Amino acid sequence: MSNFESQTHSLTEVFGSSVFNDATMRERLPKPTYKALKKTIDEGTPLLPQVAEVVANAMKDWAIEKGATHYTHWFQPMTGITAEKHDSFISPTDDGKVIMEFSEKELIKGEPDASSFPSGGLRATFEARGYTAWDCTSPAFIKDNTLYIPTAFCSYTGEVLDKKTPLLRSMEVISTQALRVLRVFGNTTATRVITTVGPEQEYFLVDKELFDQRKDLIYTGRTLFGAKPPKGQEMEDHYFGTLKERISNFMKELDQELWKLGVSAKTKHNEVAPAQHELAPIFGTTNVATDHNHIIMDTLKKVALRHGLVCLLHEKPFAGVNGSGKHNNWSMSTNDGQNLLDPGKTPHENAQFLVFLCAVIKAVDEYADMLRVSAANTGNDHRLGANEAPPAIISIFLGDQLTDILEQIENGGAKSSIQNGDLKIGVNTLPTLPKDATDRNRTSPFAFTGNKFEFRMVPSSGSISGPNFVLNTIVAEVLSDIADRLEKAKDFNAEVQLLLKEIVSNHKRIIFNGNNYSEDWVKEAEKRGLPNISSTVEATKAMVKEKNLNVFEKHGVLNRTELHSRYEIILETYIKSINIEALTMLDMAKRQILPAVIDFTGNIASTIASIQATGLSVDISAQTELLSEVSTLLAQFKKNITSLEKATSDAANFSGDTFDHAAMYRDVVFVKMSELRAVADKLEMIVDEEMWPFPTYGQLLFNV
Ligand code: ADP
Ligand code: MG
């Protein structure tokens, strides 16, 4: 039996073996400590120092037994990725030796220098102190001989500098408000409401040797040049296709690594575009799911390298084929396991479900702009609204059954639910399949999929924290209004009916079950007054809108200073990304494409000259036409280089506010980049293949 097989055989033992999880804590902690910690994790009671002291010790012993020499406070600064600084466990003794130590203080608090992380003006570099604080609700784990401790990150003065803190806060907020609603419905047993998330991660794999030859992939994660190959994704033969052996080996190892870290990687398949794949874990608590998604992104990259591959998480690595997103499946459930978005068999009778459903509908309609910006990043600007991903307009897909019920509610009360029955395939040997309540609508940005909502706009490379803390907060806000009303209601049932009816009439404009890719929808959405926000720069405005500032501040998720700083960070990130892309393009254009094309014209010219030198009267129109065609394009290419250079330097020297600066990158620099690319892609189609200075789309997409 190979090493790999024996590993597979003990999957149940492998799963979570590198995690200080519940089973390990139960085994290693004294009972009172375990109980106290569990209470903090499950019920949010304050963590006591004496508990942390015992946990620190047990965690250290466990980690050292597993070969760990270091520990790190793992945090999620505003870069969107994770950060870590490693400290060893060693502590010197008088006799010149060391012992391994790890104190309560080291577990609960870290002090990374915060000056080099984005703060959007929250913190000057001379006030560089930042703190990390242990998040005991997400289990510690071991990777590369290091104990990873998930932490939140804030400044010396307490401002939030990370993506985890607002998420944790939003989970508390929605729990409180959802419980109030549950109580008026007579639920006395649930003590917490948890938001659950299952993010499906899309990614591309390209050959490492080819990757290394492309500066655009190295510096920006996407191709800035590249003509379409003769074949793209039009045959639809890659989606769910058989896995190639190299890919399958990669995926097997990926699963193993993730399972060790307690990540429940469940589904894997080929995606629509060639070289594109997807991985979905089993859903979990939002906080843990977010940490796990970071682990997934990290592990994808690491394991890919072991197989001579590079994993691209960019939203749009290749023009002309689908890009990557993250489908953020989201629901709410009680701590005793009731999914609040489960309609049951007869949803029209399920008033509690309808209230939670309508709360989501109202929240999404009222704060669509906040949700939109939560999914915005430079890469996603290439996808949203580009007929492959959801449009930039937020709407909700509910399917026939629920739409029908809402219509009944609006017209006076719901009396029935359309039943779906079974699906008979018409072959006796095939089983009868129970039908889902709704068919799929792959074009919707926010789709109800049976017992959860799937937010499909989320960018593949980003943290899912933003989309989820926005969702949690806006739904909590609506639930809090609903609770206010229902708690006071004299006739509860009548008030529920009234409330549902109101929400349906006021917010039905957000419901759309049709094709989101159609032109008609764009017009229809405009008539309905739904925002169509086509770029990241535009989307950021939502973050400084009074209504939105108020709701986040009211619930204590982020205050207005923190939101302002995040607004600045998104714009600054946009500016920097486009600037890097422009500079990379110029580098490739001037130092790679231009010389190659000049060589090529030189070759044609010398061929013409040598034919002419023979004195023979042969037809050389092909050569001269080609030379003239290439030279014309080359001249245009050179001009476009000059104008991109000018745009880039103008933008760099711009002095004005961040928004206008970012808008300049979008409206001028980005436009010049596209013009330069267009000419280069034409040149690529006529220049000698051997002379083209870097691997083509065909090689990148079909060579794995
Ligand atoms: P599809 O690609 O058809 O949308 P997948 O099975 O690939 O579906 O992914 C669905 C995701 O939704 C999985 O990660 C799954 O665990 C998650 N999911 C299922 N139920 C819930 C729920 N109640 N809350 C959050 N996520 C859920
Ligand atoms: Mg999906």
Side-chain angles (χ1 to χ4, degrees):
M1 198 159 52
S2 76
N3 193 14
F4 185 72
E5 279 170 327
S6 67
Q7 277 175 16
T8 322
H9 283 219
S10 57
L11 168 56
T12 48
E13 279 155 52
V14 167
F15 191 86
S17 59
S18 302
V19 186
F20 197 69
N21 54 19
D22 191 61
T24 313
M25 290 194 279
R26 192 192 297 260
E27 184 191 311
R28 293 190 168 243
L29 295 173
K31 230 190 188 135
T33 312
Y34 172 76
K35 275 197 173 148
L37 181 63
K38 200 69 183 134
K39 218 169 143 63
T40 301
I41 295 172
D42 294 341
E43 291 164 39
T45 54
L47 175 77
L48 300 172
Q50 57 272 33
V51 172
E53 183 68 59
V54 181
V55 177
N57 232 320
M59 215 186 248
K60 178 201 70 183
D61 291 344
W62 169 80
I64 290 171
E65 276 168 40
K66 297 246 163 211
T69 52
H70 289 69
Y71 69 91
T72 181
H73 274 204
W74 186 59
F75 58 107
Q76 300 167 14
M78 295 304 298
T79 51
I81 52 175
T82 58
E84 50 195 70
K85 180 184 99 189
H86 297 207
D87 281 297
S88 71
F89 288 120
I90 61 168
S91 167
T93 53
D94 289 342
D95 56 357
K97 298 195 154 185
V98 291
I99 51 166
M100 303 291 253
E101 269 190 352
F102 185 55
S103 68
E104 170 250 336
K105 279 213 180 60
E106 288 167 313
L107 170 62
I108 65 168
K109 184 176 135 199
E111 280 187 46
D113 181 346
S115 60
S116 300
F117 294 106
S119 77
L122 266 187
R123 178 188 23 67
T125 29
F126 58 86
E127 307 165 317
R129 209 186 271 271
Y131 290 118
T132 50
W134 178 35
D135 167 22
C136 66
T137 62
S138 180
F141 56 92
I142 296 173
K143 219 177 69 174
D144 302 329
N145 300 6
T146 300
L147 172 66
Y148 279 71
I149 302 158
T151 59
F153 181 46
C154 65
S155 76
Y156 183 68
T157 42
E159 277 112 1
V160 177
L161 295 177
D162 73 345
K163 301 214 168 205
K164 185 189 266 282
T165 311
L167 183 66
L168 290 172
R169 288 176 176 173
S170 74
M171 289 166 67
E172 296 276 331
V173 171
I174 195 169
S175 175
T176 308
Q177 301 307 335
L179 274 179
R180 287 177 63 203
V181 173
L182 284 177
R183 293 287 181 260
V184 294
F185 273 99
N187 182 322
T188 52
T189 50
T191 55
R192 253 174 115 76
V193 168
I194 296 143
T195 50
T196 50
V197 166
E200 303 160 51
Q201 176 74 48
E202 291 180 332
Y203 60 93
F204 279 83
L205 290 173
V206 296
D207 190 276
K208 171 88 163 66
E209 273 183 34
L210 299 176
F211 172 93
D212 285 338
Q213 296 170 52
R214 296 216 39 150
K215 294 187 199 180
D216 47 5
L217 288 179
I218 295 173
Y219 296 133
T220 74
R222 77 174 179 107
T223 52
L224 299 168
F225 296 103
K228 278 195 186 71
K231 182 183 176 196
Q233 64 190 38
E234 59 277 75
M235 300 297 287
E236 294 168 340
D237 51 356
H238 194 256
Y239 190 54
F240 284 10
T242 348
L243 300 175
K244 287 186 189 161
E245 194 169 319
R246 187 173 179 195
I247 301 300
S248 164
N249 288 339
F250 156 80
M251 285 180 173
K252 278 180 198 152
E253 193 173 333
L254 176 68
D255 279 342
Q256 290 287 328
E257 291 292 336
L258 290 174
W259 290 336
K260 274 193 236 164
L261 295 168
V263 178
S264 51
K266 168 99 174 153
T267 310
K268 51 185 180 185
H269 60 79
N270 286 348
E271 258 301 328
V272 173
Q276 191 186 27
H277 312 277
E278 179 183 296
L279 179 145
I282 297 172
F283 69 96
T285 308
T286 316
N287 177 33
V288 175
T290 305
D291 287 358
H292 280 183
N293 184 247
H294 277 297
I295 296 179
I296 288 173
M297 290 193 284
D298 245 38
T299 312
L300 276 167
K301 293 196 162 169
K302 207 167 76 182
V303 175
L305 287 175
R306 291 187 205 150
H307 293 258
L309 297 163
V310 176
C311 172
L312 305 177
L313 293 174
H314 194 283
E315 288 70 26
K316 193 74 179 177
F318 301 99
V321 295
N322 279 7
S324 299
K326 207 135 44 184
H327 291 174
N328 189 82
N329 295 275
W330 177 94
S331 189
M332 300 169 266
S333 98
T334 61
N335 59 327
D336 45 17
Q338 185 191 4
N339 181 349
L340 300 177
L341 289 178
D342 186 347
K345 282 235 159 13
T346 49
H348 69 285
E349 296 169 335
N350 191 344
Q352 183 188 299
F353 160 74
L354 291 171
V355 164
F356 279 100
L357 176 77
C358 284
V360 178
I361 292 172
K362 180 173 174 188
V364 172
D365 186 31
E366 293 240 331
Y367 299 96
D369 57 348
M370 248 347 244
L371 267 184
R372 172 67 183 86
V373 69
S374 80
N377 74 6
T378 320
N380 231 7
D381 280 6
H382 297 274
R383 295 177 64 236
L384 302 180
N387 273 18
E388 55 156 282
I393 307 160
I394 296 204
S395 67
I396 299 179
F397 169 83
L398 283 184
D400 295 341
Q401 191 190 46
L402 295 182
T403 307
D404 172 61
I405 292 171
L406 295 193
E407 272 164 17
Q408 294 182 49
I409 290 173
E410 205 189 358
N411 297 325
K415 308 243 157 20
S416 63
S417 304
I418 300 172
Q419 292 303 322
N420 305 286
D422 294 333
L423 183 68
K424 296 198 174 61
I425 306 179
V427 178
N428 284 335
T429 51
L430 292 178
T432 301
L433 306 176
K435 254 168 86 171
D436 288 311
T438 55
D439 195 3
R440 295 264 169 172
N441 181 325
R442 293 266 168 205
T443 67
S444 174
F446 203 88
F448 187 75
T449 52
N451 57 6
K452 62 185 187 294
F453 277 100
E454 188 171 349
F455 184 24
R456 299 215 183 92
M457 277 184 167
V458 179
S460 53
S461 70
S463 159
I464 56 168
S465 159
N468 287 300
F469 81 65
V470 169
L471 254 175
N472 291 350
T473 310
I474 62 179
V475 174
E477 165 66 8
V478 176
L479 288 173
S480 119
D481 281 350
I482 291 177
D484 287 347
R485 268 179 76 170
L486 295 183
E487 281 165 359
K488 283 195 292 246
K490 295 212 173 61
D491 181 343
F492 179 73
N493 284 332
E495 189 67 13
V496 170
Q497 290 309 321
L498 191 64
L499 184 104
L500 292 175
K501 194 174 164 172
E502 264 175 39
I503 295 185
V504 177
S505 343
N506 295 339
H507 301 287
K508 64 179 176 198
R509 64 170 189 167
I510 194 81
I511 297 164
F512 179 62
N513 292 326
N515 179 6
N516 283 257
Y517 295 169
S518 73
E519 261 311 303
D520 289 349
W521 168 233
V522 178
K523 289 191 204 120
E524 165 72 19
E526 197 184 334
K527 263 195 233 145
R528 293 190 191 184
L530 300 177
N532 183 357
I533 305 168
S534 63
S535 73
T536 296
V537 178
E538 207 54 32
T540 55
K541 285 183 180 162
M543 302 177 71
V544 288
K545 205 167 90 180
E546 208 45 38
K547 176 182 172 189
N548 296 338
L549 290 168
N550 285 340
V551 72
F552 282 84
E553 188 152 75
K554 169 180 166 192
H555 293 286
V557 174
L558 285 174
N559 63 33
R560 54 188 56 219
T561 322
E562 288 160 347
L563 270 165
H564 269 282
S565 84
R566 269 152 220 255
Y567 160 83
E568 289 283 329
I569 290 171
I570 296 184
L571 291 171
E572 278 166 14
T573 308
Y574 181 85
I575 292 170
K576 288 177 192 162
S577 322
I578 300 291
N579 191 47
I580 294 171
E581 289 189 352
L583 295 181
T584 306
M585 273 193 114
L586 287 170
D587 183 304
M588 293 170 78
K590 293 197 303 194
R591 298 170 58 208
Q592 295 188 291
I593 301 176
L594 207 57
V597 181
I598 291 173
D599 280 353
F600 181 58
T601 51
N603 285 1
I604 310 171
S606 32
T607 308
I608 294 172
S610 52
I611 297 173
Q612 282 167 337
T614 63
L616 297 168
S617 85
V618 287
D619 181 357
I620 53 167
S621 60
Q623 291 88 329
T624 53
E625 268 169 38
L626 180 60
L627 182 58
S628 139
E629 194 185 342
V630 180
S631 301
T632 309
L633 281 172
L634 186 61
Q636 187 60 50
F637 189 62
K638 183 73 179 64
K639 270 197 202 117
N640 290 4
I641 290 178
T642 310
S643 59
L644 177 59
E645 268 176 331
K646 179 166 182 320
T648 313
S649 91
D650 288 352
N653 294 323
F654 176 85
S655 58
D657 82 353
T658 329
F659 185 89
D660 294 339
H661 197 189
M664 184 171 184
Y665 273 93
R666 179 195 58 191
D667 299 336
V668 184
V669 180
F670 188 75
V671 173
K672 297 286 171 208
M673 285 166 55
S674 311
E675 289 170 9
L676 181 61
R677 176 185 183 145
V679 183
D681 292 357
K682 280 190 195 150
L683 281 167
E684 186 188 324
M685 297 304 288
I686 48 178
V687 168
D688 183 348
E689 194 175 329
E690 305 275 309
M691 297 178 81
W692 198 250
F694 35 76
T696 61
Y697 267 33
Q699 291 167 304
L700 286 165
L701 287 168
F702 294 97
N703 248 1
V704 257

